[in-house]
């Protein structure tokens, strides 16, 4: 009769995660000794209703003055900068995971948006952009006859 034994690996998932993080840090230049600004991209949700699009971008640590929004030829561009906190005297960072520096996101919108009615709000680290559709582009149900 064959006996099954459970073999536990010497490597844990946490060790593997550290190795993968290290590889990405080296590739993207995010090493712990790197003081240069990091390029980062805010996480974004894009939703659509019958009459508008809504974008919500996570931009904690920014103010509305740190962000620029442009809409040209149906291309919505959101850019800005999140400044890094300066070290206090006698304090040395052991690990830095929060990204600082410039960010830039570009979204291509359909032709049927109303560029004159776009609105944006910044509240508790979330930038919300409301992009209304034109009246001719709103969806409607077609009844079958």
């Amino acid at each position: 009769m064959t006996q099954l034994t459970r073999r536990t690996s010497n490597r844990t998932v946490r060790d593997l995660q550290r190795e993968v993080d290290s590889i990405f840090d080296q590739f993207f230049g995010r090493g712990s000794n790197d003081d240069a600004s990091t390029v980062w991209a805010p996480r974004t949700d894009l939703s659509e209703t019958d009459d508008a699009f809504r974008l919500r971008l996570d931009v904690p640590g920014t103010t509305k003055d740190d962000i620029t929004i442009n809409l040209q030829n149906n291309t919505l561009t959101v850019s800005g900068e999140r400044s890094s906190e300066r070290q206090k005297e006698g304090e040395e960072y052991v690990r830095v995971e929060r990204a600082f520096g410039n960010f830039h996101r570009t979204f291509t919108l359909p032709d049927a948006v109303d560029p004159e009615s776009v609105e944006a709000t910044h509240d508790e680290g979330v930038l919300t952009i409301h992009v209304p559709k034109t009246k001719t582009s709103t969806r409607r149900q077609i009844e079958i006859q």
Side-chain angles (χ1 to χ4, degrees), residues 29-121:
R30 296 185 312 215
S32 60
N33 296 330
D34 187 11
D35 290 334
S37 291
T38 303
V39 176
W40 62 284
R43 300 285 184 172
T44 304
D45 293 337
L46 172 61
S47 60
E48 179 181 10
T49 63
D50 288 339
D51 58 349
F53 295 96
R54 185 178 71 171
L55 293 93
R56 299 185 71 204
L57 292 86
D58 287 342
V59 288
T62 64
T63 66
K64 66 180 186 176
D65 297 329
D66 297 329
I67 301 168
T68 303
I69 304 169
N70 292 306
L71 178 60
Q72 182 177 9
N73 299 329
N74 296 333
T75 301
L76 180 72
T77 304
V78 181
S79 58
E81 182 177 5
R82 181 165 60 186
S83 301
S84 103
E85 298 172 357
R86 299 290 176 215
Q87 272 181 263
K88 295 178 184 175
E89 189 173 327
E91 180 180 53
E92 183 177 325
Y93 283 108
V94 176
R95 183 177 182 106
V96 177
E97 291 186 353
R98 297 180 301 154
F100 296 97
N102 297 320
F103 64 88
H104 180 91
R105 294 293 309 260
T106 302
F107 307 92
T108 302
L109 300 173
D111 291 331
V113 297
D114 182 5
E116 301 302 319
S117 300
V118 175
E119 297 177 344
T121 58

Side-chain angles (χ1 to χ4, degrees), residues 128-145:
T128 303
I129 304 171
H130 181 79
V131 183
K133 295 178 182 177
T134 59
K135 294 293 182 196
T136 58
S137 70
T138 57
R139 279 187 261 174
R140 67 183 183 97
Q141 180 90 18
I142 308 297
E143 187 176 327
I144 301 173
Q145 306 216 0

